[in-house]
Amino acid sequence: MSNTHRINRSLKLRPANGNSIIVGLAIFLCTFYIYRDLGITTLVGWGTLLALVLLNVVLRLKFRVGIPMGYQKYAYVFIAFFIVLYLLRPESRHDNDEVLYTIAMCISVLIVLFTDPNIKEICSVNKIFKVFSLGIATYILFFKIFPDLYWSTIYRFISESSQALAAYYVPGGYGVPIGGSLTLGYYIMAVGMLVSFTDSYGVVGSVKKKGRIFDTIYLIVLFLGMIAEGRRGEVIAISVSLLFLFLSFKSMSHFYLKLGSIIVVIIVLFSTYNYILEYVQSVPFFRRYALTLEGILAGNDITSGRIELWALAILLFADNLIFGIGFGGYAYNIPSYFRVIHGEDVMDVHNCTLQLLCETGIIGTFSILLPMIIIFVGTKRHLTKIKKHANGSKNLIIACKLEEISLGIQMFFFVLSQLDPAFYKPIFWGFYGFSIILSIMAEKISRWQNKHDFS
């Protein structure tokens, strides 16, 4: 009997053989953009996931299977608990957006608590993200090259809100919106890139040379898709995440070698930036990035109004140091003239740390960010521990990859949240919960392997 098969038998939940929740979550995360394009509320998808979780609860009760807990689950519940407390404050915002946010967060908590995947499900989920990521990147690139086809086909069938978004942003150099948004497709492509990157370039790259070439081409296509979509924050976030993982792989000697190589590349880029700018100006594909470089060289504000939003958040925090102005309350303080210039849908600081400080104060920010830091540090520490022995164990290789993907997702959303209100989007909780599930699964595999080694 193979090691993988033994792990499947050892880890699976008896009544549900892995319980399928993580597969349902992955399908939802890879298709949630469709809801807005078709004018359907995402509550349909969240409700389906809730039904799947409740079915699992019934099976657990029937077969008397408990809920395995760990520090990640306790931390996740703690974060959600404090956010709900702050949402209950009279000063907090209580509109439909906040209601959906709360529902999504609470369902995600249940998903993390009750998900108990097996190896086969994890492999299936990784394939789901890779397939959908490639499809989204290809979609973006195709209509970037043939925009007239988009206006004559897809544009005619999407919802009015998605049409309005496309009509406003695409002529300005952005790519076609996915799900009525320019950000949602990035989340899926980011996970797809992290899965492929860890397969070929992780602590223990397990693919052969031919597979590594395929993964490299795949990563290039996805990165080009991200560039074509035109969002600078997401491109920076995935670049930092991949760089972080790249530097974390192997031993310290490898670390210094890689760091030195990166410094050399940065020096070369800085010394040739005039040639780079001249090139990107000549290619329509890089139009937005050329404008950004020009703005930086001219000393202009290239943050699309973010500096003004950040300054306002700092002032609000200074006046409400301890408890803040109420969760979601920042939206009430945005000047009307700012919305006239930058759009009526601006509701957030576009820096989630500053927004937490001004809305929840020192106490709330500490209560929410500390558990996240604990989860991140715990994931990194466990990866460091098991990667030393991964070469001799197929199971630990799997555990390493899961921890790497989890770390990459956490880093991606941390960096992005300093430039975009990712934390304040309901779907954030699905992706963040997914990263925690992967980390829990990695620890479970390594514990099983240790027990097997000493039995």
Side-chain angles (χ1 to χ4, degrees):
M1 185 182 296
S2 67
N3 286 339
T4 302
H5 185 59
R6 282 199 294 268
I7 290 179
N8 281 337
R9 290 190 58 188
S10 175
L11 298 182
K12 70 183 181 181
L13 178 66
R14 282 175 291 168
N17 190 27
N19 75 25
S20 302
I21 297 177
I22 194 171
V23 177
L25 175 63
I27 293 173
F28 173 66
L29 293 178
C30 287
T31 59
F32 66 92
Y33 57 87
I34 296 175
Y35 291 86
R36 187 170 178 180
D37 273 344
L38 298 180
I40 303 172
T41 175
T42 54
L43 284 174
V44 174
W46 288 112
T48 302
L49 286 176
L50 179 59
L52 189 59
V53 172
L54 293 178
L55 175 62
N56 184 258
V57 172
V58 172
L59 290 172
R60 283 180 178 273
L61 291 173
K62 180 179 179 181
F63 288 86
R64 297 182 180 180
V65 178
I67 305 174
M69 296 295 291
Y71 76 92
Q72 300 101 324
K73 291 186 179 182
Y74 285 116
Y76 197 76
V77 171
F78 188 84
I79 295 167
F81 174 75
F82 259 89
I83 291 177
V84 170
L85 280 184
Y86 269 87
L87 282 166
L88 292 175
R89 288 178 59 189
E91 300 88 349
S92 297
R93 208 166 93 228
H94 298 115
D95 57 16
N96 291 336
D97 289 339
E98 299 305 308
V99 171
L100 176 60
Y101 183 85
T102 306
I103 292 173
M105 180 180 64
C106 292
I107 292 175
S108 296
V109 168
L110 293 175
I111 290 171
V112 170
L113 287 176
F114 289 99
T115 298
D116 191 17
N118 56 34
I119 299 295
K120 184 178 179 180
E121 286 184 338
I122 293 293
C123 293
S124 298
V125 164
N126 288 345
K127 289 178 182 177
I128 289 171
F129 273 107
K130 290 185 72 171
V131 170
F132 273 92
S133 295
L134 183 60
I136 290 172
T138 304
Y139 174 86
I140 293 170
L141 289 169
F142 180 82
F143 287 117
K144 188 74 173 181
I145 299 171
F146 306 105
D148 291 340
L149 282 177
Y150 175 78
W151 300 114
S152 62
T153 55
I154 303 295
Y155 180 80
R156 299 169 57 187
F157 298 101
I158 57 179
S159 65
E160 291 184 4
S161 61
S162 297
Q163 287 180 339
L165 189 80
Y168 182 80
Y169 282 105
V170 174
Y174 287 93
V176 295
I178 304 291
S181 171
L182 293 169
T183 63
L184 303 184
Y186 277 102
Y187 300 170
I188 303 167
M189 288 189 288
V191 178
M193 288 188 75
L194 290 167
V195 171
S196 188
F197 185 76
T198 55
D199 277 345
S200 289
Y201 302 100
V203 171
V204 186
S206 60
V207 299
K208 297 180 180 180
K209 184 176 180 180
K210 185 177 180 180
R212 179 169 291 189
I213 293 173
F214 173 81
D215 280 337
T216 301
I217 296 172
Y218 176 88
L219 289 168
I220 292 172
V221 171
L222 260 61
F223 195 70
L224 287 175
M226 288 186 166
I227 292 175
E229 193 72 341
R231 291 276 302 179
R232 298 165 298 183
E234 284 78 359
V235 172
I236 292 172
I238 191 60
S239 299
V240 172
S241 300
L242 294 177
L243 184 62
F244 172 79
L245 290 178
F246 180 69
L247 290 174
S248 299
F249 297 155
K250 309 295 181 182
S251 63
M252 286 303 294
S253 60
H254 286 84
F255 170 82
Y256 291 121
L257 179 63
K258 292 174 181 178
L259 184 60
S261 302
I262 291 169
I263 292 174
V264 170
V265 171
I266 292 174
I267 292 173
V268 171
L269 290 176
F270 268 101
S271 62
T272 59
Y273 71 88
N274 283 325
Y275 300 101
I276 295 173
L277 179 59
E278 183 179 348
Y279 173 73
V280 296
Q281 286 174 331
S282 64
V283 182
F285 186 82
F286 298 113
R287 176 184 173 187
R288 275 190 47 77
Y289 304 95
L291 294 174
T292 298
L293 286 173
E294 290 174 355
I296 293 173
L297 294 175
N300 299 329
D301 178 13
I302 61 164
T303 65
S304 302
R306 284 173 173 80
I307 291 178
E308 187 174 349
L309 293 175
W310 297 344
L312 175 59
I314 293 172
L315 291 174
L316 292 172
F317 169 60
D319 293 335
N320 303 271
L321 287 172
I322 307 301
F323 297 107
I325 61 176
F327 200 89
Y330 181 82
Y332 298 138
N333 294 273
I334 299 175
S336 56
Y337 72 84
F338 187 92
R339 288 199 169 107
V340 171
I341 298 172
H342 297 281
E344 293 295 326
D345 59 341
V346 178
M347 305 291 283
D348 303 286
V349 180
H350 286 68
N351 181 302
C352 295
T353 303
L354 288 178
Q355 187 157 347
L356 282 174
L357 284 170
C358 79
E359 292 184 347
T360 67
I362 295 173
I363 293 178
T365 303
F366 179 81
S367 302
I368 293 169
L369 292 186
L370 180 61
M372 290 185 166
I373 294 172
I374 290 173
I375 292 173
F376 182 85
V377 172
T379 305
K380 181 67 172 69
R381 184 175 297 172
H382 183 247
L383 174 60
T384 303
K385 178 182 177 181
I386 63 176
K387 73 179 183 180
K388 299 175 183 178
H389 311 287
N391 279 319
S393 169
K394 181 178 180 180
N395 301 324
L396 290 184
I397 291 175
I398 296 173
C400 281
K401 289 182 178 181
L402 296 183
E403 291 288 35
E404 289 164 2
I405 297 169
S406 177
L407 270 179
I409 294 173
Q410 292 177 56
M411 178 60 74
F412 172 79
F413 279 103
F414 171 76
V415 175
L416 182 59
S417 291
Q418 310 313 307
L419 304 167
D420 186 76
F423 176 83
Y424 286 83
K425 296 177 181 178
I427 201 63
F428 162 82
W429 292 101
F431 281 96
Y432 188 57
F434 176 71
S435 74
I436 293 175
I437 292 169
L438 294 184
S439 181
I440 293 171
M441 183 64 177
E443 292 193 0
K444 183 181 292 186
I445 293 173
S446 64
R447 284 197 302 269
W448 186 93
Q449 183 64 41
N450 290 334
K451 183 178 179 181
H452 174 74
D453 289 341
F454 291 100
S455 61

